[in-house]
């Protein structure tokens, strides 16, 4: 274990800065620039985790986001731990503490490993076929299944980290910083376009940047040096923004893209303090260039999942970029030329390459020749049939392939190794392309799905290997040519570029490699994380699952945290082979966003905690806070709920407030009511159409209550509207309805009645509303506005006066929601707090008592006034509310009128608003409680429910409002409110409980 | 997230708008003369087209103007926008 | 005299960013689709209401912002205006326009809170939670109604790195807190 | 008869390398004529076919599916099952379904993994409390096992919920239905398909309906991509595409098809073992047996058949999730997708005859159809077989939009429509 597999030749890792980290409690060292994976490999650690289903030992298989196996838990702090982090992506930092997941007690000895031996009994979909007996026992099985599934552990405490958002608009977004991405960014910037280049790595250059090979030259210098110069040259463009450690998460329609920038995950814990952890970029790009590259495919053979079996290109990156040997006795298994590049790199680094097993019969490309010249041994036309080694590969066995590739022939020969590189060709990363709505086509010659240029959404292009271009000359030349037309470039800085590169000629692909054993006896893994095998796919097909989506769901192939980046193509290939279908016809599964898993925190950004939702406050809010108010959330508003005094509970406070309001005076902040200023020569006609009652004859200076319906005849909103002038009204709406009412009214004005000369302007925040009610309200108003004639003659109920308080204009309305003599002062909001304070001072001698929404609700219930949204629920007509008087029957039309005359809306037995009194006057009903007539009936018929219920201190008894079937006709009838533990007897009454004659209005 | 070309304000993000459903369903001029069936047709029945749909949008967080849009609901491509009262562009 | 209580009473500075609420300022909403309207406005304010979308007109005393084809917001550039000035202007406009059925004049001085932002990164700040493309907004006098952190706003590009943002009074404290929070991460 | 699934058949087949499993269903070509055709091979359609064959002995029937069975909303939903609806008609409908769920695995001999882990609905404001209490009382009297929980009881039942009184919209209580829970969505489609197929039902995949043939006001059959198929009874169970089929038949429905999104996180060890829903801050979440957090988002406001919604909907949903579960902030979204849901103005479904004889519609399930699958299939089968509704679905007729007798379930629906 303590072996050091680092070599000292590379340019990419800062070998002067040693970093200590922990893996499974063991203290280890790596260097700055390492990923956790490269550092583990340098310490000769391959076994990283256990698989999902069979708990098989698994190691590092790749070097990127496609990694299915090496996923670890980072940290152990309850609020900062991160589950399911890919060791291949996380950069090493001082103090990093990683541990294996999905194993107990340890990754070396995992009890769950027993599943491996049970695997014959656990084929795809086994759980659909069993765990059904005895009936009702599923939850017990499920408990164990759930606990053995799952990967890492979620944090158990709140996340202290900060996430942020940023919108960005650019001319061109380039996704991917490999060679084609770099060239694209440069061409775009050169043209003067605002360009953003993003790449998920900490460095630019993709795989070309460490391609130190004489066979690859651009303009006569090695391709890596050429690219390094290009990257350097990007610094000259002020119109180019480069974002490293930024991965594209989603590509939505209209070129809206989400990219996550990682800002602190590579820093030590101390360096992270006060910094934003991740920033989600919301990018609108006029044009998008996808240069997301390709990933290497594995090969599918029995036991292809052991630690030490690594993608060949990843072995190359580990040695060439990180300077880490993934083994000391490495063999390679391939179906294409790229493994030879790995072989050459290993050879040059002094690592023994035992054999290269190649399923092809031969290849005469330059790179193969170079390898052969170096003395690398190749087994042509052969395949690996099995591997050995439990926690690390020890050996593998090779057989000759038959001519047609369907079988193996001859004997097994065994080769020892401590690492096997596999290369099954390349898969273009077309995820983003398809997410954006692009359609793929299948290229038979090398079995790849590539973007169909005829079915590419406009204003985007795919370049480089994600477009199916794998050879350096193709990549470079096609990128230039394609961008010329995409960006309308006439000539470019790359014109006349010269490229030398080897050309792969020989191709052979076998999705499931044959074995001398029946498939039932082999374990050819497809999806390494989810433990689905080629056998599972074949079983699914035998059972009649034929769509790729069915097979995927039945076998769970491609549903792991890598989303099938390594497994999808082979699953498709095996389905195509087994069913005799062309892969192009089969199609792919849908690639769903995000491309790589995206932190919830990043998606939410700063809208957490205090910024979860906007808070609206009235101009008098601070006074309420200072005076001990408890607040109620009403929509986004904070409204005082009640004002407890001296340790009162809510009930006590409300009883006191309610009593004071009727006995002397109460004051309410009603500023949250919606207020709409209505002007225009057709204002009256407009009101006629939107309210159920008539408005034309309302005198200037008077107010009227209005009821607004939906077009389906149901009560929608209500409020008092005041006529300020011939063509000028101010409408009030409910607090919750304000925005919707305005938008509904604008809708009718603009679309149905454009001929009306009416203008609507919201003034909800312009005016604050202070409501003073009670027998002493008049005395208080007299003190506040000394000159104003408050006599009933001059200032009757349902009228208003314009006046001044000190130097400030205000409008005082005499309207009442409590049944008391009351006034509403409307004043510009910036003066409202001071007016409120003046009212309090003036009212001191009258025990003027501030009250909140709860008391307001109680007082209006005593009078039987409805609250839309509480006593109505969108299913009640005005008639249901016993408000027939408000329907202007003579009016030609108003919103919702026609609906009132449908067969079901005219029924007499609809639910109707009534009052309720309890037999026991102390018994307060629960709001929402149901009403029945016969408790013994089965099924029991519910006649209605309690909508509002309070203990009235003014009547000294419990009162309630309810909606009851045929309620209008049932006055005096006894009903039962059946509660869980008792039945409450109630009697149906009138809806008005207090001051039925409305004497107090003018008291 | 669409980009919607408000006929009054120009191109804006979808978040500034709200959708009001199918367009050109004119409110009956004389509702009382309609049968319950005809009224229900106006009130509830919708084409709900997969393909080219004419619909109403409101620039709710901008100029507050309602306007019409032609959009292909099978791919969300906006083909045209036009003001209230204007004739729909020939498709 | 009544005391005046603006919702925000502090001024904040972050590196290159300065934010402050400006009060008292006269703000009046104007609605009209009548022909006479422009002339009348011109007479009273000595500026014409802009017809071009997303623009403004202005003189020393007032800025006049386009809000929609039949809606404008006029506000006073000078924050020394008194309440009487406000009433006078409102009455002037109301009598000439509302009263004569030439449109609608509505005082919204306390409906909107005006926050002034100065600094080179003001657009980056707003773009943290505003989808509007400020690249098209650099022209002096540009106006946009959009959404910042889920709250409706009107933004008036007064000058280079100097803009006025209008937010409804009830939302102003919330947005103010958000601006201050976001300024930390610029 | 199909081989029975059991632990024993599993062991037996293991010994033969799983080579001898039978097909779960056949892959037949359509016949020229059927006694009934079901358009739409989702859970509801397959269940309809299953009950038509099983209870009404109509076995010469076909299910035609334009893609693959269970590929629509059946395979795209968040698998919540509950019956705590407000109105008697809805409670009757959904509880009928819930009762079938309770024995469905055994009935189908297919483990649909119905997990009665409980569903909790949270209240965040006083009106929420009133509405949820009203619903709880109604449920109790309708024999549905809903109870009211106060904030402490909510916390006890699901300890990871942030019940602090200091959050923006504190949890003021909630209701709990313990019999409610989740099931494995794919298994429902597959189990019904296997059961229906065993009774002779033809399940025809990759067969898209292109037209409905009528003779006057009587249906005659369907034009499909696999040719014309004759039938005097056609049941349409096409969810988001209901209006498309209706337009073919020349009728209009009170539906709008809108995108509804959902997402899952990466899998983690068990952290939440119930289903929690919140209307007011709009979030609902459960954890799959695999360990993924399954999160339902809201609908967009516009019609779309793209199976894609707007990102801001996902953002708003996760905002609410983090408000209620701040410990999920570092979890990662693994997959996000959309479905097309057909929404009725009253947030209740339609299981109804139409003005065309022999043409039936089962649609309008909006965001909550999965939970009703068995009941919906059973009642729709009854309606088709008898040409009249069962008493449990009588209220869910099309005529209610004419008469005004709507079944307004906006409050009980998961997603605010």
């Amino acid at each position: 274990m303590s072996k050091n597999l680092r070599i000292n030749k590379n340019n990419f890792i800062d070998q002067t800065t040693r970093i200590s980290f922990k893996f499974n409690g063991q203290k280890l060292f790596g260097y700055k620039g390492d990923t956790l994976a490269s550092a583990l490999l340098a310490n000769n650690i391959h076994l990283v985790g256990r698989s999902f289903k069979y708990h098989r030992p698994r190691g590092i298989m790749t070097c990127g986001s496609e990694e299915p196996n090496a996923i670890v838990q980072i940290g152990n702090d309850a609020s900062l731990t991160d589950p399911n982090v890919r060791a291949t992506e996380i950069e090493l930092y001082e103090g990093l503490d990683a541990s294996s997941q999905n194993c107990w007690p340890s990754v070396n000895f995992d009890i769950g490993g027993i599943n491996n031996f049970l695997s014959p009994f656990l084929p795809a979909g086994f759980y659909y076929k069993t765990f059904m007996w005895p009936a009702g026992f599923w939850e017990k099985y499920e408990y164990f299944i759930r606990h053995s599934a799952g990967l890492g552990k979620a944090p158990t405490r709140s996340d202290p980290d900060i996430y942020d958002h940023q919108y960005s608009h650019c001319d061109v977004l380039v996704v991917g910083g490999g060679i084609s991405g770099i060239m694209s960014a440069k061409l775009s910037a050169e043209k003067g376009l605002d360009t953003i280049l993003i790449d998920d790595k900490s460095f630019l250059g993709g795989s070309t940047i460490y391609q130190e090979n004489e066979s690859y030259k651009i303009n006569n210098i090695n391709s890596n040096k050429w690219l390094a110069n290009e990257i350097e040259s990007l610094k000259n463009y002020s119109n180019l923004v480069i974002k490293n450690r930024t991965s594209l998460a989603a590509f939505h329609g209209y070129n809206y893209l989400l990219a996550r920038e990682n800002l602190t995950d590579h820093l030590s814990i101390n360096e992270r303090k006060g910094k934003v952890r991740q920033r989600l970029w919301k990018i609108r790009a006029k044009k998008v260039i996808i240069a997301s590259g390709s990933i290497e495919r594995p090969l599918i053979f029995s036991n292809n999942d052991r630690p030490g079996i690594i993608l060949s290109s990843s072995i190359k990156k580990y040695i060439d970029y990180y300077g880490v040997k993934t083994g000391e006795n490495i063999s390679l298994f391939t179906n294409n030329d790229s493994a030879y590049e790995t072989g050459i790199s290993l050879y040059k680094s002094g690592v023994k390459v035992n054999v290269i097993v190649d399923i092809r019969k031969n290849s005469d490309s330059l790179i193969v020749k170079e390898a052969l010249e170096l003395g690398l041994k190749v087994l042509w036309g052969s395949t690996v049939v099995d591997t050995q080694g439990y926690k690390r590969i020890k050996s593998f066995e090779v057989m000759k392939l038959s001519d047609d590739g369907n079988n193996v022939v001859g004997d097994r020969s065994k080769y020892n190794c401590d690492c096997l590189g596999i290369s099954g060709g390349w898969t273009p990363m077309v995820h983003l392309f398809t997410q954006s709505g692009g359609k793929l086509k299948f290229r038979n010659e090398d079995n790849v799905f590539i973007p169909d240029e005829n079915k590419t959404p406009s204003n985007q292009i795919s370049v480089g290997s994600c477009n199916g271009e794998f050879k350096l000359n193709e990549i470079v030349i096609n990128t230039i040519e394609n961008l010329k037309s995409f960006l309308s470039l006439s000539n470019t800085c790359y014109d006349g570029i010269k490229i030398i590169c080897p050309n792969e000629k020989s191709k052979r692909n076998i999705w499931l490699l044959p074995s001398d054993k029946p498939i039932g006896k082999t374990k050819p893994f497809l999806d390494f994380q989810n433990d689905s095998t080629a056998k599972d796919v074949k079983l699914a097909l035998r059972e009649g699952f034929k769509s790729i989506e069915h097979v995927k769901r039945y076998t769970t192939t491609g549903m792991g945290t890598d989303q099938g980046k390594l497994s999808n193509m082979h699953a498709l290939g095996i389905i195509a082979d087994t069913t005799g279908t062309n892969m192009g016809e089969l199609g792919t599964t849908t690639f769903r966003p995000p491309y790589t898993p995206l932190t919830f925190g990043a998606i939410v950004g700063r809208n957490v905690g205090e910024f979860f939702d906007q808070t609206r406050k009235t101009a008098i809010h601070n006074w309420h806070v200072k005076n001990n108010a408890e607040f109620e959330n009403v929509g986004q508003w904070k409204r005082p709920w009640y004002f407890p005094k001296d340790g009162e509970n809510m009930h006590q406070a409300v009883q006191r407030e309610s009593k004071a309001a009727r006995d002397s005076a109460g004051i309410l902040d009603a500023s949250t009511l919606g207020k709409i200023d209505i002007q225009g020569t057709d204002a009256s006609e407009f009101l006629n159409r939107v309210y159920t009652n008539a408005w034309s004859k309302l005198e200037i200076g008077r107010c009227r209550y209005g009821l607004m319906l939906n077009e389906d005849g149901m009560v929608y909103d209500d409020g008092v509207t005041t006529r300020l002038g011939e063509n000028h009204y101010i409408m009030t709406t409910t607090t919750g309805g304000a925005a919707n009412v305005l938008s509904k009214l604008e809708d009718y004005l603009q679309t149905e009645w454009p001929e009306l000369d009416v203008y609507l302007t919201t003034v909800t925040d312009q005016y604050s509303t202070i409501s003073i009610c009670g027998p002493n309200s008049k005395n208080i108003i007299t003190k506040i506005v000394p000159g104003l004639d408050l006599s009933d003659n001059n200032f009757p109920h349902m009228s208003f006066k314009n006046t001044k308080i000190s130097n400030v204009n205000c409008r005082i309305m005499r309207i009442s929601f409590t049944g008391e003599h009351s006034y509403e002062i409307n004043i510009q909001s910036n003066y409202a707090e001071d007016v409120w304070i003046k009212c309090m001072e003036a009212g001191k001698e009258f025990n003027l008592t501030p009250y909140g929404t709860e008391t307001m609700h109680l007082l209006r219930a005593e009078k039987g006034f409805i609250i839309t949204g509480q006593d109505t629920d969108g299913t009640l007509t005005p008639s249901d509310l016993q408000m027939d008087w408000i329907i202007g029957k003579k009016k030609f039309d108003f919103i919702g009128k026609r609906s009132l005359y449908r067969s079901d809306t005219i029924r007499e037995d609809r639910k109707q608003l009534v009052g309720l009194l309890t037999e026991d006057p102390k018994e307060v009903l629960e709001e929402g409680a149901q009403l029945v007539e016969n408790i013994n009936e089965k099924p029991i018929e519910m006649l209605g429910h309690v909508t509002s219920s309070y203990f009235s201190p003014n009547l000294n008894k419990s009162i309630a409002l309810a909606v009851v079937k045929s309620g209008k006709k049932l006055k005096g009838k006894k009903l039962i409110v059946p509660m869980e533990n008792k039945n409450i007897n109630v009697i149906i009454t009138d809806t008005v409980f207090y001051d039925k004659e409305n004497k107090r209005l003018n008291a | 997230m669409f980009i919607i070309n408000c006929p009054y304000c120009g191109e804006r993000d979808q978040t500034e708008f709200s959708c009001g459903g199918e367009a050109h369903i004119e409110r009956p001029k004389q509702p009382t003369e309609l049968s319950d069936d005809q009224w229900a047709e106006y009130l509830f029945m919708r084409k709900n087209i997969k393909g080219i749909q004419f619909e109403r949008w409101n620039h709710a967080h901008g100029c507050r103007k309602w306007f019409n849009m032609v959009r292909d609901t099978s791919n969300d491509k906006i083909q045209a926008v036009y003001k209230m009262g204007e004739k729909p562009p020939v498709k | 005299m009544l005391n005046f209580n603006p919702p925000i009473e502090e001024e904040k500075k972050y590196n290159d960013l300065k934010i402050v609420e400006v009060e008292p300022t006269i703000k009046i909403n104007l609605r009209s689709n009548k022909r006479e309207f422009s002339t009348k406005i011109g007479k009273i304010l000595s500026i014409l209401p802009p017809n071009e979308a997303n623009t403004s007109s202005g003189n020393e005393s007032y800025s006049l912002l386009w809000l929609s084809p039949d809606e404008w917001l006029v506000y006073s550039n000078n924050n020394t205006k008194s309440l009487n000035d406000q009433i006078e202007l409102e009455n002037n406009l109301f009598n000439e326009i509302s009263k004569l059925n030439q449109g609608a004049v509505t005082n919204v001085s306390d409906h909107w809170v005006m926050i002034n932002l100065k600094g080179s990164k003001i657009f980056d700040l707003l773009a943290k939670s505003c989808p509007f493309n400020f690249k098209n907004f650099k022209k002096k006098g540009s106006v946009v109604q959009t959404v910042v952190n889920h709250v409706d706003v009107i933004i008036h590009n007064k000058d280079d790195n100097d803009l006025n943002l209008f937010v409804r009074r009830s939302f102003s404290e919330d947005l103010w807190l958000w601006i201050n929070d976001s300024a930390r991460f610029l | 008869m199909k081989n029975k699934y059991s632990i024993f058949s599993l062991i037996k087949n293991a010994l033969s390398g799983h080579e001898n499993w039978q097909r779960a269903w056949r892959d037949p070509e359509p016949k020229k004529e059927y006694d009934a055709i079901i358009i739409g091979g989702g859970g509801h359609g397959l269940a309809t076919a299953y009950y038509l064959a099983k209870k009404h002995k109509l076995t010469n029937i076909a299910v035609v599916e334009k893609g693959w069975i269970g590929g629509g909303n059946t395979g795209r939903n968040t698998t919540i099952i509950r019956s705590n609806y407000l109105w008697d008609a809805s409670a009757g409908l959904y509880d009928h379904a819930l009762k079938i769920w309770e024995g469905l695995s055994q009935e189908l001999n297919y483990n649909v993994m119905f997990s009665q882990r409980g569903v909790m609905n949270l209240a965040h404001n006083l009106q929420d409390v009133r509405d949820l209490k009203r619903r709880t009382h109604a449920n109790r009297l309708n024999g549905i096992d809903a109870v009211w929980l106060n904030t402490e009881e909510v916390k006890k039942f699901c300890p990871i919920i942030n019940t602090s009184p200091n959050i923006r919209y504190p949890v003021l209580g909630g209701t709990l239905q313990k019999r409610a829970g989740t099931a494995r969505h794919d298994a429902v489609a597959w189990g019904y398909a296997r059961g229906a197929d065993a009774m002779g039902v033809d399940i025809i995949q990759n067969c898209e309906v292109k037209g409905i043939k009528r003779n006057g006001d009587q249906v005659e059959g369907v034009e499909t991509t696999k040719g014309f198929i004759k039938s005097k009874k056609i049941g349409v169970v096409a969810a988001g595409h209901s209006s498309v089929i209706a337009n073919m038949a020349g009728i209009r429905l009170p539906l709008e098809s809108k995108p509804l999104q959902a997402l899952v996180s990466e899998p983690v060890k068990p952290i939440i073992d119930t289903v929690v829903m919140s209307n007011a801050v709009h979030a609902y979440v459960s954890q799959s047996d695999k360990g993924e957090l399954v999160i339902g988002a809201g609908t967009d406001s516009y019609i779309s058949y793209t199976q894609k919604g707007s990102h801001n909907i996902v953002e708003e949903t996760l905002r609410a999730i983090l408000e209620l579960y701040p410990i999920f902030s570092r979890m990662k979204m693994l997959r996000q997708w959309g479905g097309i849901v057909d929404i009725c103005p009253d947030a209740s479904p339609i299981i109804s005859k139409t003005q065309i004889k022999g043409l039936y519609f089962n649609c309008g399930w909006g965001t909550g159809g999965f939970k009703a699958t068995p009941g919906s299939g059973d009642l729709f089968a009854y309606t088709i077989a008898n040409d009249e509704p069962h008493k449990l679905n009588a209220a869910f007729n099309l005529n209610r939009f004419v008469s005004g007798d709507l079944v307004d379930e906006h409050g009980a629906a998961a997603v605010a429509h």
Side-chain angles (χ1 to χ4, degrees), chain A residues 530-643:
Chain A
N530 278 347
D531 277 336
S532 73
T533 66
K535 286 192 293 189
D536 292 322
V537 169
K538 286 181 172 263
L539 171 65
L541 293 169
R542 270 200 302 283
E543 292 196 80
F545 295 90
K546 68 175 192 178
S547 139
I548 170 68
E549 287 286 350
H550 275 166
V551 174
K552 170 179 153 186
R553 284 157 178 264
Y554 193 62
T555 63
T556 72
T557 302
M559 301 192 71
T561 62
D562 54 317
Q563 291 282 283
K565 292 192 180 81
L566 289 187
S567 57
N568 279 343
M569 283 307 291
H570 292 87
L572 278 171
I574 291 166
I575 294 170
D577 285 354
T578 312
T579 57
T581 325
N582 179 287
M583 280 180 77
E585 289 164 31
L586 208 54
T588 62
T589 59
T590 317
F591 299 105
R592 288 170 167 156
Y595 177 65
T596 54
L598 183 58
T599 324
F600 285 0
I603 296 171
V604 175
R606 288 299 294 144
N607 290 126
V608 291
E610 62 176 319
F611 296 114
F612 165 65
D613 193 24
Q614 287 62 54
T615 301
R616 299 180 74 178
K617 293 177 180 172
T618 75
I620 311 165
H621 186 85
N622 290 340
W623 188 93
H624 304 321
V625 172
K626 272 181 229 148
N627 287 273
N628 209 21
E630 289 289 331
F631 288 91
E632 178 190 357
N633 287 310
V634 182
Q636 291 175 315
W637 286 100
K638 290 278 179 196
R639 295 195 70 178
W641 190 10
Y642 56 98
F643 292 85

Side-chain angles (χ1 to χ4, degrees), chain A residues 51-340:
Chain A
S51 65
F52 198 84
K53 186 165 156 190
Y54 303 135
H55 289 247
R56 285 170 67 99
R58 291 283 164 77
I60 296 157
M61 217 183 149
T62 72
C63 57
S65 67
E66 69 270 34
E67 176 62 39
N69 288 338
I71 53 180
V72 297
Q73 185 94 29
I74 299 292
N76 45 28
D77 180 283
S79 57
L80 287 169
T81 187
D82 277 311
N84 308 335
V85 175
R86 277 181 277 272
T88 51
E89 287 193 302
I90 185 162
E91 294 174 48
L92 206 63
Y93 57 84
E94 186 64 38
L96 185 151
D97 184 353
S99 46
S100 298
Q101 302 183 151
N102 208 36
C103 52
W104 187 85
S106 77
V107 71
N108 275 302
F109 178 74
D110 174 23
I111 294 283
I114 192 157
N115 284 3
N116 191 29
F117 300 98
L118 295 175
S119 65
F121 306 106
L122 311 175
F126 73 97
Y127 30 76
Y128 298 123
K129 295 172 177 164
T130 183
F131 300 128
M132 286 180 276
W133 296 270
F137 252 56
W138 166 246
E139 282 91 354
K140 297 190 172 55
Y141 296 118
E142 189 185 36
Y143 177 85
F144 292 101
I145 291 172
R146 289 189 66 191
H147 282 260
S148 70
L151 291 166
K153 295 190 181 87
T156 51
R157 301 184 63 176
S158 302
D159 185 359
D161 274 334
I162 296 163
Y163 304 83
D164 188 23
H165 285 175
Q166 190 82 45
Y167 282 92
S168 187
H169 301 258
C170 63
D171 294 322
V172 176
L173 173 71
V174 183
V175 183
I179 184 165
S180 52
I182 300 287
M183 292 174 63
S184 300
K186 183 164 174 180
L187 288 175
S188 169
E190 181 78 30
K191 163 107 176 170
L193 300 167
D194 274 341
T195 307
I196 302 175
L197 168 65
I198 65 167
D199 189 89
D200 57 357
K201 307 265 182 335
S202 58
F203 61 94
L204 289 177
S207 56
T208 307
I209 201 70
Y210 53 88
Q211 178 64 285
E212 183 68 64
N213 191 311
E214 297 289 326
S215 306
Y216 294 87
K217 284 191 187 296
I218 301 176
N219 289 343
N220 298 323
I221 56 172
N222 279 5
S223 59
N224 60 332
K225 299 237 162 54
W226 180 85
L227 185 60
N229 293 339
E230 289 303 296
I231 293 170
E232 189 60 29
S233 75
L234 296 182
K235 287 181 187 156
N236 302 329
Y237 299 99
S238 61
N239 55 334
L240 171 66
V241 174
I242 300 172
K243 295 233 151 271
N244 279 115
R245 297 188 177 98
T246 303
S247 69
L248 201 92
F251 188 165
H252 295 295
Y254 294 80
N255 278 359
Y256 183 60
L257 301 99
L258 303 174
R260 181 210 56 216
E261 182 180 17
N262 243 326
L263 294 159
T264 63
D265 279 358
H266 61 288
L267 302 176
S268 71
I269 305 291
N270 286 337
E271 292 169 295
R272 297 179 188 187
K273 295 234 163 75
K275 295 192 175 110
V276 173
R277 181 187 181 211
Q278 294 176 349
R279 178 168 288 139
L280 189 71
W281 288 85
K282 300 176 168 181
I283 304 168
R284 283 281 187 191
K286 288 192 184 129
K287 286 170 185 274
V288 177
I289 300 171
I290 306 175
S292 51
S294 54
I295 56 173
E296 197 169 22
R297 295 174 186 169
L299 288 163
I300 311 304
F301 53 97
S302 189
N303 290 314
N304 57 345
D305 66 324
R306 300 189 188 283
I309 299 180
I310 304 178
L311 293 180
S312 145
S313 61
S314 297
I315 294 176
K316 181 171 177 344
K317 182 170 180 186
Y318 284 119
I319 195 80
D320 285 346
Y321 184 86
Y322 296 104
V324 171
K325 297 184 278 186
T326 53
E328 291 174 303
N329 179 12
I330 299 179
S331 284
L332 300 165
F333 178 27
T334 186
N335 70 1
N336 68 90
D337 279 359
S338 31
Y340 292 82

